[in-house]
Amino acid sequence: MSSNTPSSSAGGVGSADSAAPRRNSKRPKYSKFTQQELPACKPILTPRWVISAFMLVSIVFIPIGVVSLFASRDVVEIIDRYETECVPENLRNNKVSFIQSDANKTCTRKLRVKKLMKQPIYVYYQLDNFYQNHRRYVKSRSDSQLKDNSSWNDVSSCKPEDMSNGQAIVPCGLIAWSLFNDTYNFSLNNQQLEVNKRGISWKSDRDSKFGNDVFPRNFQNGTLIGGKTLDPTVPLSKQEDLIVWMRTAALPTFRKLYGKIERDLQANETIHVTLENNYNTYSFNGKKKLVLSTTSWLGGKNDFLGIAYLTVGGLCFFLALSFTVVYLLKPRRLGDPSYLSWNRNPGGH
Amino acid sequence: MKRYVYINDDESSHELFCDNRISNRKYTVLNFLPKNLWEQFSRFMNQYFLLIACLQLWSLITPVNPASTWGPLIFIFAVSASKEAWDDYNRHLSDKKANEKPVWVVRQGIRKHIQAQDIHVGNIVWLRENDEVPCDLVLIGTSDPQGLCYVETSALDGEIDLKTRVIPAACMGIDFELLHKIKGVIECPNPDKDIRRFDANLRLFPPFIDNDVCPLTIKNTILQSCYLRNTEWACGVAVYTGNETKLGMSRGIPEPKLTAMDAMIDKLTGAIFVFQIVVVMVLGIAGNVWKDTEARKQWYVLYPLEGPWYELLVIPLRFELLCSIMIPISIKVGWLGDDQFLYLKSKVSLDLVKSLYAKFIDWDSEMIDYETGIPSHATNTAISEDLGQVEYIMTDKTGTLTENIMIFRRCCISGVFYGNEGGDALKDTKLLNAVAGSSPDVVQFLTVMAICNTVIPIKSKTGAILYKAQSQDEDALVNAAAQLHMVYVNKNANILEIRCNGSVIKYEVLETLEFTSDRKRMSVVVKDCQNGKIVLLSKGADEAILPYAYAGQQTRTFIEAVEQYAQLGLRTLCLAWRELKEDEYQEWSLMFKEASSTLVDREWRIAEVCQRLEHDFEVLGVTAIEDRLQDGVPETIETLRKAGINFWMLTGDKQNTAIQIALSCNFISPEPKGQLLLIDGKTEDEVCRSLERVLLTMRITSSEPKDVAFVVDGWALEIALKHYRKAFTELAILSRTAICCRVTPSQKAQLVELLKSCDYRTLAIGDGGNDVRMIQQADIGVGISGREGLQAARAADYSIGKFRFLKRLILVHGRYSYNRTAFLSQYSFYKSLVICFIQIFFSFISGVSGTSLFNSVSLMAYNVFYTSVPVLVSVLDKDLSEGTVMQHPQILFYCQAGRLLNPSTFAGWFGRSLFHAIVVFVITIHAYAYEKSEMEELSMVALSGCIWLQAFVVALETNSFTILQHLAIWGNLVAFYVINWIISAIPASGMYTIMFRLCRQPSYWITMFLIVAAGMGPVLALKYFRYTYRPSKINTLQQAERMGGPILSLGNIEPQPRSIEKEVSPLSITQPKSRSPVYEPLLSDSPNSSRRSLGPGTPFDFFQSQSRLSSSYSRNCKDN
């Protein structure tokens, strides 16, 4: 209780004397920090500074925008939407029943190469209005089961696709269950066009997320068949389609890599695609697209960054310009003491 | 209501009273966890967060790993619990040490060494020199033949001078050996916490003395935690033990003060809370609708047709959990010790910075009183922002504005004025001659000066005589008398010795009629040992002495003298005496004894009895004592008044003295600029009329730049507060300055209360015990650790050494604290809202199903780490340099009016968070569309976008960059990447390799730059536009300061050398003779008037002033 009083031991009569030692012990240590006097730079928003900042941004952004736009335009992309075309015309009124029937779903599409496409050419399938990010869906997987054979029984997080016929499903969960099962076969000039399906998934996933001793078990054995079935003799780490699919997309429109074509495609060549249209997107009006695309240093064809850079750069240029104009037309002295109302009237205090 | 303590009775009291075991612990080992948790969760908001945390355990609805909420929650609770536990353990240790301390106690007539905790009421405790007193004792014997002992009471009241304690008269002269066997009974009140009062009686049983009742006062006690000094031994009877001692009873947790800022943050949190509920409801309904219409078609989601009964609740609850981060976790858990509906006090960041503000005050080397070496100290670490929002300062006069070093300057003896020429009576040859000539009047006068007091002379080793006085006035008088060859040499029991012109005169003190602030005088009854005459010597305030002069004495000269001295700002005392007849004294003495042994209303009874003796005085003269102003007081007051702070002086002193001091310290301006309005009157009617008149004048002049102040005395104030509270409140609001003289401590507190009830932020500053109540009452109490002891400083939130430090305390520390907290709290909301908005936007593209875009680790780290570190260094931010603030104190208005934290600034931050969330979200989902739209990647892109924006927002809002700020802002950005790289290197984490992949993509960096440019561009442009074309005063000063403009010339304050002597004349109060003063209206735009009315400025300013105005209207009406 007495510790915070200045002196609890010194005698009262001698308090004048005892002040001297106290002075040293009680005085706070002087440092720039404790005195809040650390050297500081205090920038202010001067017109010159702000205008040049905006100018600098526009000077940097516009070229980047142009380069990005060019990069994006350099990418050659063939998109083929096929979910309607691949349903026989007489069945188009009721596509859902068609897709759920056992009818032959083979379908042939012709793709014309408009420009030279350099290898590697990536083959994607694109789904629209497919909510891989739905909470119920995205959580329905068991990472431990995928990775390690010993925990194949760990299906608690996989509901409602955890067990089938009283047995744990490997790989369990809605994501695996709804694996995309359309297949594509490409041919060019009646020659089979090789699609390399190896190495389409992330290496890190193959190595450490999907075990090479985990084999599909009891998969798609239930009453409801979701999507593709898996070869139970191939370990999960080799099931690259599954690995790609299990990397859930954050957006309802997404592309997933199907394979790579490792040869150049010349302009005006026509590719024949024989596809198995198995996947049901009809019940929710989803679109299916087949995409062949080259890449640039920036990725696939996406004009957004380029346009955004040009817009931002342009706006900054405009701002810099208008600030300059305003500054020249209506100069204003910074820090004019006459703006202080109490200085306008010296008698005011 | 009474307790009877039987001395040395070993048996009877054991059951009745507790033993001396001190226990300050709140918890025991067993009940710690439940009790502590119960305390923490008895706050509303903690319950809310507990509920949130519990909901998160339900895996169906939790968006993230429960650890992201449970982690911080448990951490924060663990921190505060372990702090409590540690404190409690320390308390336990110190209790244990005190309890097991060996003491000498008489048991069965033999002195024994026992542990302190075994002392029982009624035991006789022996103490040696420098022993700590283990419990409250009534003294019965000391080593001193006169029964005196000295104690140091600093642990009790903070005063470091020694106090004398005396054994009761009944125990006087009891033999050392017999003390063991003493028997008797002490009749004393039940334990209370008043350390200045002990109204008890002692009756010793035969054979020690006949059944005479001996009154006991606080002077006969030594209380727990005092130390025995300069006395070889002492012994006493334990009357209060354990937690029932005066010290134990006065322990208590002071009610925590709440700053205006906290209240505002609470309001904003409330608003956010409502917003959150609305969002949750809207999204919950939307989610359920989407689920029933769309999700059923999404076959891959496999929604069952029939859900459980709670199905409708699932989606709203998920959103509730997603949105619960809207209220920042760093701000949310806490509120310890508040019973209102309060939920916000950041245990983590706000408390941390608040204690840093307090540390800055403690550390400030410019606020060290170099004369005494006492640094300033912030006892209450939570209210620094309030310092910046002070609107009224209530100040004591003596010892606060003045130095409280009393110097005897002038006197008037029997109509002759001494010291008028040189200003120092001690050098006045006339007086010296009169002393040398033993003029009877003068000798009598000096005798009163020398012995009518409670001073104790102490011979030091060198032979010089030191006086121990409790009042500075008495000290001054005794010293002056000594210099005039009337030396008070020795006090031996009741025998006083004075040496006058070489001869030693002895007096026997028969009674001392002590000073009370109600009686305003003190007297001693002494017997001249030479001739046996009994004399009453009195000194006191003029109105307590002069009316009681014997009929026929001319008191005119004395009245004139008093007035003249008061005009000079000197403190006056009238000295008087009267010869008593033997039988008159005897008769009175009995009454006095009886009165002093009453247990009920003792003070009042004594006053009544004293009144019977103190009349028919022969007035001897008037003394005038100077109390110099402290250094820098006028400048401080002027600066703070420019800052728009209103000053009220509340003093117990005389009106004229108060006004003179007020004039000399710039408190009020002399005519014609200033105007004093007097409220006086002895009856209700008079007070009412005078109040109305003053109010009328005030209303007329309130728009003028004139310094109008009102003066009210204690009597009129009493009536005004009682019957005309409303009118007086209006007056209080209108008046910038007021002088209240002759006010009692409780009136001081009432005035503070009055202003507080008008919603003003009040600061009370004082130095003495009489200011304690006002200091505790005010929003901020400042104590000056001065000569009147440390009582005020201990009760205060801040203690400073000198009045002039107040300027720095308010303008520098208060202002910076306010600015910093304003930024910090709004920023905390901003960063939480950004992330929350992104989650909400994401829910629209994830089927309104309540998916969290961010993973648990990121969410937790975002709130706890990434965004709190850079903002913590904003405690070093300074918008203006200290010098500029001192030169332009008007700038404080921004803090007072709450310009930097209010709903409209908050709306700005809210808008900014919405805008930034849109920028981050839109850019992320477009730049990372199609084949790149992988969940983990996209989430990291969005998160790093937020972090980049945070860094630039903090950088843009920082006014001064020290090396620490650069380190924190940019270092944090680097740390973000380092931490995420580390997490990305762990194969088990969901983010495995993500950050490495991203950092290798050029598109990632391009996206980041785009987010920064798009997010900061408009913010910078807007800020620049405001800064240049609609600058606030702060901006203007910033510009001026950094451009090195000529700001120094204009707002400069020149120290004005003033001396009391020069300004005797210009004072004129509106005395009754000029009852209806007319003032010429002057037009002006003083900062003061613009403060209350519409100030020139931006629409934003306008909005502010309006709200200010309306609030001041509501203030006016509040009292209805």
Side-chain angles (χ1 to χ4, degrees):
Chain A
M1 287 228 64
S2 63
S3 60
N4 55 352
T5 59
S7 160
S8 52
S9 57
V13 180
S15 67
D17 314 341
S18 68
R22 184 150 32 99
R23 190 169 299 179
N24 295 331
S25 60
K26 265 286 181 178
R27 182 166 309 167
K29 264 191 193 152
Y30 181 89
S31 80
K32 296 241 171 190
F33 174 73
T34 59
Q35 300 307 313
Q36 308 188 54
E37 278 171 4
L38 285 173
C41 93
K42 300 174 172 182
I44 56 167
L45 298 176
T46 56
R48 191 186 307 162
W49 194 91
V50 173
I51 290 169
S52 31
F54 277 115
M55 215 60 197
L56 185 75
V57 169
S58 66
I59 288 171
V60 172
F61 268 48
I62 291 174
I64 295 184
V66 171
V67 170
S68 311
L69 211 53
F70 272 116
S72 168
R73 292 283 152 94
D74 275 349
V75 173
V76 186
E77 207 174 58
I78 303 170
I79 303 177
D80 180 52
R81 180 177 166 187
Y82 65 86
E83 88 278 355
T84 315
E85 321 298 297
C86 280
V87 177
E89 252 175 80
N90 52 351
L91 294 172
R92 283 191 190 162
N93 297 330
N94 197 348
K95 296 176 217 160
V96 179
S97 63
F98 164 75
I99 202 77
Q100 285 171 344
S101 70
D102 292 334
N104 178 18
K105 289 165 193 152
T106 314
C107 168
T108 319
R109 307 283 301 158
K110 270 189 226 168
L111 307 178
R112 211 175 64 86
V113 181
K114 286 179 213 110
K115 269 165 82 180
L116 167 73
M117 290 173 90
K118 290 221 158 135
Q119 63 150 335
I121 298 158
Y122 293 93
V123 179
Y124 300 100
Y125 52 90
Q126 175 177 338
L127 294 181
D128 265 24
N129 200 22
F130 191 100
Y131 288 88
Q132 259 205 326
N133 55 13
H134 192 281
R135 203 194 121 93
R136 201 178 150 81
Y137 185 83
V138 83
K139 295 243 164 192
S140 184
R141 62 189 290 164
S142 167
D143 283 334
S144 59
Q145 185 203 45
L146 297 174
K147 193 181 164 199
D148 194 352
N149 190 31
S150 59
S151 49
W152 63 276
N153 228 346
D154 183 5
V155 292
S156 55
S157 57
C158 286
K159 280 186 175 108
E161 274 302 313
D162 49 346
M163 309 281 269
S164 159
N165 309 324
Q167 286 254 304
I169 303 172
V170 183
C172 70
L174 287 174
I175 310 179
W177 176 71
S178 60
L179 178 60
F180 186 74
N181 58 356
D182 285 6
T183 55
Y184 311 106
N185 272 304
F186 298 89
S187 61
L188 180 66
N189 305 330
N190 293 326
Q191 262 194 328
Q192 178 82 10
L193 192 61
E194 192 66 36
V195 176
N196 186 359
K197 293 194 57 115
R198 307 202 57 160
I200 53 172
S201 58
W202 295 4
K203 191 173 180 299
S204 61
D205 280 353
R206 292 196 298 271
D207 291 350
S208 49
K209 294 273 180 194
F210 290 80
N212 55 14
D213 57 345
V214 186
F215 294 90
R217 182 191 306 192
N218 200 22
F219 187 66
Q220 303 288 24
N221 267 355
T223 43
L224 273 174
I225 307 293
K228 190 177 171 180
T229 49
L230 296 173
D231 183 351
T233 59
V234 180
L236 290 188
S237 61
K238 297 257 164 60
Q239 310 263 14
E240 296 209 26
D241 279 330
L242 177 74
I243 298 174
V244 170
W245 183 254
M246 295 288 277
R247 277 273 156 206
T248 51
L251 306 175
T253 301
F254 58 87
R255 287 176 188 172
K256 297 240 173 242
L257 195 54
Y258 181 81
K260 288 179 276 185
I261 297 174
E262 282 161 339
R263 58 160 284 184
D264 294 351
L265 292 177
Q266 304 303 322
N268 294 323
E269 278 181 327
T270 306
I271 307 165
H272 291 267
V273 187
T274 315
L275 58 85
E276 291 285 331
N277 179 21
N278 294 323
Y279 204 68
N280 177 9
T281 57
Y282 302 105
S283 51
F284 51 87
N285 294 324
K287 296 172 199 156
K288 288 197 273 192
K289 287 171 188 166
L290 173 65
V291 180
L292 274 72
S293 167
T294 58
T295 54
S296 67
W297 58 275
L298 209 52
K301 191 175 184 68
N302 188 349
D303 289 351
F304 174 78
L305 279 178
I307 293 171
Y309 261 76
L310 287 179
T311 318
V312 170
L315 281 175
C316 285
F317 183 73
F318 170 74
L319 277 174
L321 210 64
S322 49
F323 280 145
T324 316
V325 170
V326 172
Y327 177 68
L328 291 177
L329 288 184
K330 203 178 150 196
R332 197 176 157 101
R333 214 179 102 218
L334 284 184
D336 190 338
S338 65
Y339 295 135
L340 302 172
S341 63
W342 56 82
N343 275 345
R344 281 183 212 144
N345 191 316
H349 54 79
Chain B
M1 285 302 288
K2 276 184 203 165
R3 68 161 55 175
Y4 293 91
V5 177
Y6 292 90
I7 303 170
N8 249 341
D9 188 348
D10 287 332
E11 303 309 319
S12 72
S13 63
H14 285 202
E15 291 82 39
L16 275 171
F17 312 118
C18 65
D19 62 8
N20 196 35
R21 188 188 302 274
I22 303 165
S23 173
N24 294 317
R25 325 166 44 174
K26 261 165 93 178
Y27 310 106
T28 64
V29 175
L30 283 180
N31 76 7
F32 174 76
L33 210 61
K35 196 173 171 186
N36 185 270
L37 282 180
W38 173 254
E39 278 183 10
Q40 297 207 37
F41 283 114
S42 53
R43 316 278 163 232
F44 171 79
M45 220 47 191
N46 286 357
Q47 288 167 5
Y48 169 73
F49 290 119
L50 185 68
L51 179 73
I52 293 288
C54 286
L55 281 177
Q56 291 201 332
L57 290 180
W58 187 9
S59 63
L60 185 63
I61 57 170
T62 181
V64 292
N65 193 330
S68 69
T69 302
W70 279 97
L73 197 74
I74 290 173
F75 173 75
I76 285 164
F77 278 115
V79 165
S80 68
S82 35
K83 187 172 158 275
E84 283 273 300
W86 177 247
D87 289 351
D88 210 48
Y89 180 66
N90 280 333
R91 280 196 290 265
H92 170 67
L93 282 189
S94 71
D95 286 352
K96 196 175 166 194
K97 209 175 139 202
N99 284 337
E100 292 179 355
K101 206 168 179 183
V103 285
W104 288 103
V105 167
V106 177
R107 282 279 161 86
Q108 275 102 27
I110 305 151
R111 219 182 322 162
K112 276 187 183 164
H113 224 188
I114 63 166
Q115 288 188 344
Q117 56 187 337
D118 296 327
I119 299 174
H120 287 280
V121 168
N123 285 159
I124 293 175
V125 181
W126 289 76
L127 300 167
R128 300 222 182 113
E129 186 166 0
N130 295 335
D131 273 354
E132 188 181 349
V133 183
C135 58
D136 290 357
L137 304 173
V138 167
L139 272 178
I140 52 170
T142 76
S143 57
D144 186 79
Q146 300 154 33
L148 288 179
C149 73
Y150 296 92
V151 288
E152 186 188 295
T153 59
S154 61
L156 202 59
D157 56 15
E159 295 171 25
I160 50 171
D161 55 335
L162 295 187
K163 303 242 164 52
T164 45
R165 293 289 186 253
V166 64
I167 62 172
C171 302
M172 205 66 94
I174 296 180
D175 192 57
F176 176 72
E177 294 302 319
L178 285 175
L179 280 174
H180 288 204
K181 305 191 177 80
I182 206 164
K183 292 268 179 186
V185 61
I186 296 170
E187 190 186 337
C188 58
N190 274 342
D192 58 33
K193 59 180 177 182
D194 191 346
I195 56 167
R196 325 238 133 213
R197 247 171 103 130
F198 179 72
D199 297 341
N201 286 320
L202 165 72
R203 203 158 48 119
L204 292 180
F205 294 149
F208 290 97
I209 216 156
D210 54 346
N211 272 359
D212 202 8
V213 171
C214 167
L216 299 176
T217 69
I218 199 74
K219 298 216 82 168
N220 306 116
T221 63
I222 43 180
L223 300 181
Q224 189 184 34
S225 84
C226 298
Y227 285 86
L228 189 67
R229 303 278 188 215
N230 296 1
T231 311
E232 201 180 313
W233 59 265
C235 71
V237 181
V239 283
Y240 302 128
T241 48
N243 285 350
E244 291 182 348
T245 58
K246 301 254 181 199
L247 180 72
M249 300 292 286
S250 56
R251 256 186 229 121
I253 307 137
E255 219 173 274
K257 291 181 177 178
L258 184 66
T259 65
M261 203 134 185
D262 289 334
M264 178 57 78
I265 296 175
D266 282 354
K267 262 188 224 155
L268 297 177
T269 312
I272 289 291
F273 190 70
V274 171
F275 175 72
Q276 177 190 329
I277 297 294
V278 171
V279 166
V280 165
M281 280 178 18
V282 169
L283 288 179
I285 291 168
N288 275 324
V289 169
W290 196 89
K291 186 186 78 186
D292 284 335
T293 55
E294 286 297 313
R296 303 249 182 247
K297 297 183 202 155
Q298 313 272 354
W299 56 269
Y300 50 87
V301 180
L302 267 187
Y303 254 118
L305 287 173
E306 279 296 314
W309 58 270
Y310 51 78
E311 208 193 353
L312 276 182
L313 281 177
V314 168
I315 288 179
L317 282 178
R318 279 182 192 159
F319 280 112
E320 171 59 40
L321 293 187
L322 266 189
C323 294
S324 68
I325 51 168
M326 249 188 214
I327 296 168
I329 187 124
S330 55
I331 228 175
K332 70 189 179 184
V333 188
W335 260 162
L336 299 171
D338 252 301
D339 45 10
Q340 298 174 43
F341 179 77
L342 300 172
Y343 27 84
L344 245 210
K345 180 173 178 191
S346 69
K347 286 302 289 173
V348 175
S349 52
L350 269 188
D351 274 4
L352 197 71
V353 298
K354 280 183 174 193
S355 39
L356 199 58
Y357 301 153
K359 273 283 162 237
F360 279 137
I361 293 174
D362 293 357
W363 283 332
D364 196 332
S365 68
E366 284 181 45
M367 294 202 337
I368 300 173
D369 185 0
Y370 282 103
E371 282 167 36
T372 55
I374 300 172
S376 300
H377 177 64
T379 317
N380 188 342
T381 58
I383 60 169
S384 297
E385 303 90 20
D386 245 14
L387 277 175
Q389 295 194 285
V390 168
E391 292 161 301
Y392 276 86
I393 293 180
M394 325 291 266
T395 169
D396 178 39
K397 184 177 75 67
T398 314
T400 307
L401 298 176
T402 62
E403 280 187 330
N404 208 9
I405 302 176
M406 306 292 176
I407 301 163
F408 179 78
R409 284 297 181 203
R410 298 167 193 232
C411 62
C412 166
I413 306 170
S414 332
V416 185
F417 287 79
Y418 296 103
N420 269 11
E421 288 85 44
D424 189 355
L426 298 180
K427 294 191 180 115
D428 193 329
T429 44
K430 257 198 307 181
L431 183 59
L432 292 175
N433 288 340
V435 173
S438 295
S439 148
D441 283 339
V442 174
V443 169
Q444 193 59 257
F445 183 83
L446 290 179
T447 311
V448 179
M449 267 172 76
I451 64 174
C452 176
N453 51 42
T454 53
V455 175
I456 299 155
I458 293 170
K459 272 222 174 77
S460 69
K461 288 164 197 119
T462 55
I465 296 166
L466 288 172
Y467 296 109
K468 294 288 315 165
Q470 274 162 24
S471 126
Q472 298 290 327
D473 295 79
E474 289 186 347
D475 193 45
L477 289 180
V478 175
N479 276 311
Q483 287 193 38
L484 292 168
H485 309 292
M486 182 69 77
V487 190
Y488 177 19
V489 190
N490 196 10
K491 182 171 185 175
N492 202 338
N494 284 342
I495 309 295
L496 303 175
E497 282 176 33
I498 53 175
R499 202 169 58 221
C500 173
N501 283 347
S503 57
V504 173
I505 307 168
K506 285 191 181 177
Y507 289 99
E508 186 189 347
V509 178
L510 300 175
E511 297 293 350
T512 305
L513 287 59
E514 289 199 17
F515 180 87
T516 65
S517 43
D518 292 322
R519 296 199 314 123
K520 288 175 184 148
R521 63 176 171 252
M522 69 94 52
S523 308
V524 288
V525 180
V526 293
K527 191 166 156 188
D528 192 330
C529 292
Q530 271 75 21
N531 51 22
K533 272 197 225 161
I534 297 175
V535 203
L536 171 76
L537 307 177
S538 292
K539 72 171 198 295
D542 50 318
E543 82 268 20
I545 298 281
L546 295 181
Y548 304 100
Y550 68 88
Q553 189 183 14
Q554 287 296 323
T555 54
R556 268 199 59 114
T557 45
F558 298 120
I559 293 171
E560 275 167 22
V562 167
E563 265 181 21
Q564 191 195 330
Y565 293 150
Q567 294 256 314
L568 294 168
L570 302 175
R571 300 159 66 90
T572 54
L573 282 174
C574 291
L575 309 187
W577 79 304
R578 177 159 80 93
E579 229 182 282
L580 301 178
K581 296 194 180 65
E582 182 74 31
D583 50 346
E584 185 190 3
Y585 167 70
Q586 291 302 348
E587 192 187 324
W588 176 85
S589 174
L590 286 177
M591 288 195 291
F592 186 67
K593 279 228 171 62
E594 192 203 336
S596 21
S597 51
T598 47
L599 292 183
V600 191
D601 283 339
R602 182 185 281 184
E603 200 174 300
W604 182 82
R605 288 282 306 278
I606 289 177
E608 197 195 44
V609 173
C610 291
Q611 184 77 34
R612 299 197 187 179
L613 200 66
E614 295 168 327
H615 57 83
D616 287 336
F617 286 128
E618 183 187 342
V619 181
L620 295 169
V622 181
T623 60
I625 296 168
E626 186 193 37
D627 187 7
R628 265 186 314 196
L629 280 186
Q630 286 183 17
D631 283 347
V633 167
E635 292 85 350
T636 305
I637 290 181
E638 182 164 343
T639 311
L640 289 179
R641 278 166 58 96
K642 271 198 197 163
I645 298 175
N646 302 333
F647 266 94
W648 283 33
M649 184 201 270
L650 314 179
T651 173
D653 226 324
K654 241 183 315 303
Q655 182 172 304
N656 280 354
T657 318
I659 290 172
Q660 271 315 316
I661 293 285
L663 269 174
S664 64
C665 61
N666 269 345
F667 208 81
I668 47 177
S669 317
E671 299 262 324
K673 235 184 94 191
Q675 178 83 39
L676 279 180
L677 305 168
L678 192 69
I679 301 171
D680 57 0
K682 295 281 173 215
T683 65
E684 275 185 36
D685 276 353
E686 281 171 34
V687 173
C688 176
R689 255 179 285 139
S690 130
L691 190 64
E692 272 168 12
R693 196 173 52 245
V694 170
L695 202 52
L696 201 67
T697 325
M698 277 286 184
R699 287 202 192 110
I700 299 167
T701 52
S702 61
S703 57
E704 295 171 23
K706 221 163 168 161
D707 276 342
V708 184
F710 72 86
V711 183
V712 63
D713 67 2
W715 183 257
L717 186 67
E718 182 88 46
I719 296 173
L721 284 178
K722 212 169 179 180
H723 301 283
Y724 308 105
R725 204 180 162 87
K726 211 182 139 206
F728 189 77
T729 310
E730 197 194 335
L731 181 68
I733 293 168
L734 282 173
S735 167
R736 296 201 65 210
T737 314
I739 298 171
C740 305
C741 28
R742 303 259 186 226
V743 288
T744 60
S746 70
Q747 279 179 327
K748 289 183 178 184
Q750 277 177 39
L751 285 171
V752 172
E753 171 98 65
L754 181 92
L755 285 173
K756 259 175 82 178
S757 73
C758 302
D759 223 14
Y760 286 115
R761 289 275 128 184
T762 53
L763 180 149
I765 179 167
D767 74 318
N770 57 347
D771 305 315
V772 168
R773 288 185 60 182
M774 133 176 123
I775 284 173
Q776 283 170 337
Q777 183 75 50
D779 291 314
I780 307 157
V782 179
I784 292 196
S785 28
R787 282 163 220 280
E788 276 186 40
L790 288 171
Q791 240 190 318
R794 280 171 75 90
D797 302 312
Y798 297 94
S799 68
I800 54 180
K802 287 273 188 280
F803 184 80
R804 64 170 186 274
F805 299 147
L806 193 62
K807 181 163 78 170
R808 202 173 154 76
L809 191 65
I810 290 176
L811 288 178
V812 174
H813 292 288
R815 209 184 92 84
Y816 284 155
S817 303
Y818 174 82
N819 289 356
R820 290 160 183 175
T821 305
F823 169 67
L824 197 72
S825 50
Q826 297 186 103
Y827 174 82
S828 294
F829 279 109
Y830 157 80
K831 54 128 187 183
S832 301
L833 281 171
V834 168
I835 219 84
C836 210
F837 279 130
I838 292 178
Q839 297 271 47
I840 291 171
F841 295 148
F842 181 69
S843 76
F844 287 113
I845 60 160
S846 63
V848 208
S849 57
T851 317
S852 172
L853 176 61
F854 304 105
N855 61 43
S856 323
V857 181
S858 306
L859 274 183
M860 185 166 73
Y862 179 80
N863 262 330
V864 174
F865 188 78
Y866 304 143
T867 54
S868 7
V869 174
V871 80
L872 277 186
V873 290
S874 72
V875 295
L876 295 172
D877 190 39
K878 293 166 146 191
D879 55 342
L880 295 172
S881 74
E882 289 164 17
T884 315
V885 179
M886 289 291 192
Q887 277 149 10
H888 296 274
Q890 292 90 336
I891 209 73
L892 189 69
F893 164 59
Y894 280 80
C895 303
Q896 288 166 333
R899 279 282 177 88
L900 302 181
L901 173 67
N902 56 37
S904 95
T905 59
F906 185 71
W909 280 98
F910 188 88
R912 186 182 290 191
S913 64
L914 189 59
F915 171 66
H916 280 171
I918 291 173
V919 165
V920 169
F921 185 70
V922 168
I923 291 181
T924 306
I925 65 167
H926 282 100
Y928 274 72
Y930 304 123
E931 73 277 5
K932 288 191 204 154
S933 70
E934 203 277 321
M935 190 88 168
E936 298 280 351
E937 278 192 4
L938 195 111
S939 121
M940 278 323 287
V941 173
L943 185 71
S944 23
C946 292
I947 302 287
W948 275 86
L949 277 180
Q950 311 292 325
F952 279 90
V953 165
V954 175
L956 188 69
E957 297 296 328
T958 301
N959 295 297
S960 63
F961 290 91
T962 65
I963 180 79
L964 286 177
Q965 268 141 332
H966 280 301
L967 263 180
I969 294 172
W970 310 121
N972 183 61
L973 203 54
V974 174
F976 168 76
Y977 282 100
V978 171
I979 290 172
N980 279 301
W981 283 332
I982 292 171
I983 298 176
S984 296
I986 304 169
S989 81
M991 275 170 56
Y992 181 50
T993 69
I994 297 287
M995 210 60 197
F996 298 113
R997 294 174 64 92
L998 283 178
C999 289
R1000 277 200 301 266
Q1001 295 170 5
S1003 58
Y1004 171 76
W1005 297 107
I1006 287 189
T1007 309
M1008 286 305 112
F1009 295 138
L1010 181 63
I1011 288 174
V1012 170
M1016 294 314 294
V1019 176
L1020 178 69
L1022 198 67
K1023 185 169 168 146
Y1024 165 75
F1025 181 77
R1026 277 229 190 121
Y1027 192 83
T1028 314
Y1029 299 100
R1030 302 271 183 279
S1032 70
K1033 311 284 183 291
I1034 296 178
N1035 298 149
T1036 311
L1037 284 178
Q1038 278 173 342
Q1039 292 157 1
E1041 178 183 293
R1042 276 145 230 185
M1043 316 285 279
I1047 47 162
L1048 303 184
S1049 57
L1050 275 158
N1052 214 355
I1053 305 156
E1054 291 137 24
Q1056 288 149 332
R1058 277 164 189 267
S1059 78
I1060 296 167
E1061 313 294 326
K1062 286 175 194 156
E1063 287 189 23
V1064 183
S1065 47
L1067 169 81
S1068 79
I1069 316 168
T1070 317
Q1071 289 288 359
K1073 52 199 172 206
S1074 54
R1075 275 265 147 109
S1076 53
V1078 181
Y1079 311 101
E1080 61 275 81
L1082 291 173
L1083 289 171
S1084 167
D1085 172 32
S1086 71
N1088 171 37
S1089 60
S1090 72
R1091 207 189 99 171
R1092 293 273 147 106
S1093 59
L1094 300 182
T1098 60
F1100 170 71
D1101 279 342
F1102 179 79
F1103 174 80
Q1104 282 311 307
S1105 318
Q1106 274 243 311
S1107 68
R1108 179 78 178 171
L1109 204 64
S1110 61
S1111 78
S1112 101
Y1113 281 137
S1114 63
R1115 281 167 181 176
N1116 294 349
C1117 307
K1118 233 178 211 179
D1119 210 47
N1120 294 343

